[in-house]
Amino acid sequence: MRGRTILFSEMTPAPEWEDRFNVWYDDEHIPIRVGLRGFQSSQRYVRPDRNYLAVYEMDTLQALKTVAYQAIKNNPSPETAWMLKNVTGFTRYLCEEISIAGDTSPAGIETRVLYPVWFKVPPERLADFDAWYEQDHVPLLLECPEWRCVRRFNVTDGVPGDYNRLALHYLDDESALASPAREKARNTPWRNRISAEPWFKGVYDVFAKVGERQLPPL
């Protein structure tokens, strides 16, 4: 159900064909992909502004290089071609997991809220940034019972943002973002020091889970 690599993809449909978009995504776009070798699952989310996200879980990036996947990508159905031409807000990022903390069971990523955090970290600052996030920041966040799991990724490729680090925070409830644990995590000496550097500009989103996780057919 959880792979070591993800495809993080966002699209925004127009209001007048949002229902059609959701049917296409649930009944065509995801099933045809999670049925391919190397795909583990896919889960959809949405922001209040109707921006939709799908997180595909894969074994490795090789899942996107198979003959079967390339055939699907290069020969879209008429409905897929129409959707990809007309959606806005498109993003596509490929990310490889570098750590996981908290509830590492399947339930740990089956939460109602997904909180992605993106950073572009200078190469010479990656070691300090990664150590701060994993040794200082994440343990304090996980003191909140609703903060179930944190997965960190190296961003290998993607558009439109130029990021190299992604953290996916899995929350039982959005109220975790206002918890004392998060306040504590955002006010440590290490965090105060690193956040004063000019490159420290995180990009944050909050998504609500949509539907159930789709798995490969038996």
Side-chain angles (χ1 to χ4, degrees):
M1 189 175 81
R2 179 177 67 86
R4 293 298 304 274
T5 302
I6 64 167
L7 167 59
F8 183 106
S9 180
E10 296 169 275
M11 302 180 194
T12 304
E16 56 268 26
W17 43 268
E18 185 172 1
D19 289 344
R20 174 183 171 186
F21 171 85
N22 284 316
V23 170
W24 163 75
Y25 223 117
D26 288 336
D27 294 351
E28 178 183 336
H29 198 61
I30 288 179
I32 201 170
R33 283 160 174 74
V34 297
L36 298 177
R37 176 168 56 88
F39 282 78
Q40 294 292 330
S41 70
S42 180
Q43 179 61 58
R44 296 184 66 209
Y45 303 88
V46 67
R47 281 193 327 220
D49 62 357
R50 300 174 24 264
N51 181 60
Y52 285 87
L53 162 68
V55 178
Y56 294 88
E57 302 276 350
M58 303 174 291
D59 293 332
T60 69
L61 290 174
Q62 292 302 312
L64 302 177
K65 299 178 181 180
T66 64
V67 172
Y69 179 82
Q70 290 300 315
I72 289 171
K73 181 180 178 181
N74 296 326
N75 299 280
S77 70
E79 184 74 348
T80 295
W82 188 91
M83 287 291 174
L84 296 181
K85 180 181 178 180
N86 286 282
V87 294
T88 59
F90 181 80
T91 73
R92 187 178 189 272
Y93 297 98
L94 303 177
C95 312
E96 295 181 314
E97 187 179 277
I98 55 179
S99 69
I100 181 170
D103 184 354
T104 60
S105 74
I109 64 172
E110 291 300 306
T111 57
R112 294 175 53 243
V113 178
L114 183 68
Y115 175 51
V117 179
W118 304 86
F119 275 95
K120 181 181 179 181
V121 184
E124 67 275 13
R125 302 298 293 124
L126 277 171
D128 191 31
F129 177 85
D130 288 342
W132 159 70
Y133 217 102
E134 295 182 7
Q135 299 172 25
D136 185 64
H137 197 58
V138 170
L140 294 175
L141 293 173
L142 292 173
E143 290 181 1
C144 174
E146 286 76 36
W147 213 291
R148 292 287 296 281
C149 179
V150 181
R151 299 169 69 190
R152 300 192 62 243
F153 295 87
N154 175 46
V155 183
T156 64
D157 190 24
V159 291
D162 184 18
Y163 309 112
N164 57 3
R165 286 294 183 267
L166 166 66
L168 292 182
H169 300 262
Y170 295 84
L171 314 178
D172 284 331
D173 192 87
E174 192 173 342
S175 63
L177 296 173
S179 65
R182 184 176 184 235
E183 181 64 26
K184 181 179 177 182
R186 290 171 60 85
N187 192 30
T188 69
W190 199 346
R191 203 266 185 187
N192 290 337
R193 173 178 60 79
I194 202 170
S195 66
E197 300 187 32
W199 55 265
F200 192 96
K201 296 179 177 66
V203 176
Y204 309 86
D205 270 320
V206 179
F207 289 91
K209 184 179 178 182
V210 173
E212 299 302 319
R213 182 174 298 274
Q214 292 204 34
L215 304 173
L218 298 176

